């Protein structure tokens, strides 16, 4: 039985598959594949999004962003490291994509920031594109709603969609690797 078609958008596209509501992105996502070097020696990587109450209706959309992970050599029972930030809808330009966000760290990481964009999604998966920063290269992450990850067929369909976008995204898609997950990871 075939699932919904995989639709991937190019970065900064003003068009996006209709029906996405930001509430669909809230909750915990498991990073199953990536091109970002920082995940090569990590495992059990999750990203959790939680809505932030906007102070007024004129304020841009925001949500808290908590990334957790373990070193690849750590047992599944080890406490995970944590990076906390806030994502704000990027409205800096009139042509801003409706799924482009600016991340800013909290606490000691307050000086760190980056831009990322949701390129595609389905009920069980999402794909994000991260722009290059002073400290990290541009990259892609594939997310799953469950720790078990995604079927190999779905991963291949996502990779094909990313390759079809072409440009930097298509090139990055060729270097996707699987992010390690513990059998017992929660």
């Amino acid at each position: 039985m075939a699932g919904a078609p995989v639709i991937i958008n190019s970065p900064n596209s003003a068009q996006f598959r209709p029906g996405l509501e930001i509430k669909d992105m809230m909750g915990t996502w498991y990073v199953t594949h990536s091109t970002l070097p920082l995940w090569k020696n990590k495992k059990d990587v999750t990203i959790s999004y939680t809505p932030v109450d906007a102070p007024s209706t004129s304020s841009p959309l925001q949500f808290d962003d908590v990334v957790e992970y373990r070193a690849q050599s750590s047992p599944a029972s080890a406490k995970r490291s944590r990076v906390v930030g806030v994502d704000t809808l990027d409205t800096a330009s009139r042509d801003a994509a409706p799924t482009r966000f600016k991340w800013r760290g909290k606490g000691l990481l307050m000086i760190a920031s980056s831009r990322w964009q949701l390129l595609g999604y389905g009920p069980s998966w999402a794909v994000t594109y991260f722009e290059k920063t002073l400290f990290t290269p541009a990259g892609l992450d594939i997310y799953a709603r469950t720790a078990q990850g995604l079927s190999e067929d779905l991963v291949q369909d996502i990779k094909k969609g990313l390759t079809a976008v072409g440009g930097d995204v298509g090139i990055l898609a060729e270097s996707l690797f699987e992010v390690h997950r513990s059998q017992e990871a929660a």
Side-chain angles (χ1 to χ4, degrees):
M1 180 170 128
V6 169
I7 298 171
I8 306 291
N9 295 285
S10 62
N12 301 317
S13 170
Q15 301 297 315
F16 199 78
R17 188 170 129 192
L20 173 69
E21 293 187 32
I22 204 62
K23 67 178 176 59
D24 297 336
M25 288 301 297
M26 297 299 106
T28 298
W29 292 90
Y30 297 81
V31 179
T32 64
H33 295 76
S34 185
T35 64
L36 295 168
L38 71 128
W39 298 140
K40 285 200 178 225
N41 63 353
K42 308 290 188 290
K43 67 180 178 182
D44 305 331
V45 180
T46 61
I47 300 178
S48 298
Y49 300 122
T50 307
V52 172
D53 291 330
S56 73
T57 56
S58 62
S59 298
L61 171 70
Q62 286 189 323
F63 48 94
D64 284 329
D65 179 319
V66 177
V67 177
E68 295 182 296
Y69 59 89
R70 291 183 181 92
Q72 201 169 19
S73 59
S74 296
S77 59
K79 183 176 179 181
R80 297 192 298 164
S81 296
R82 178 177 245 222
V83 177
V84 179
V86 65
D87 296 300
T88 303
L89 183 63
D90 186 355
T91 57
S93 73
R94 289 185 308 153
D95 300 330
T99 58
R100 187 170 185 239
F101 298 90
K102 182 174 183 178
W103 176 87
R104 173 142 331 261
K106 288 186 173 181
L108 294 175
L109 286 178
M110 192 179 200
I111 61 169
S113 69
S114 65
R115 293 190 190 287
W116 65 274
Q117 183 173 349
L118 180 65
L119 296 184
Y121 75 97
S124 65
W125 64 275
V127 176
T128 53
Y129 169 76
F130 297 86
E131 294 178 17
K132 179 182 177 184
T133 71
L134 187 59
F135 305 105
T136 60
L140 298 167
D141 280 344
I142 298 176
Y143 300 168
R145 274 294 185 190
T146 67
Q148 291 74 33
L150 305 170
S151 72
E152 187 56 34
D153 288 344
L154 180 53
V155 170
Q156 290 307 314
D157 287 347
I158 292 168
K159 287 180 180 180
K160 286 177 194 170
L162 290 165
T163 301
V165 167
D168 291 341
V169 170
I171 292 167
L172 283 168
E174 295 174 16
S175 61
L176 279 162
F177 60 87
E178 189 166 0
V179 176
H180 297 278
R181 295 183 307 279
S182 299
Q183 295 290 357
E184 312 84 24

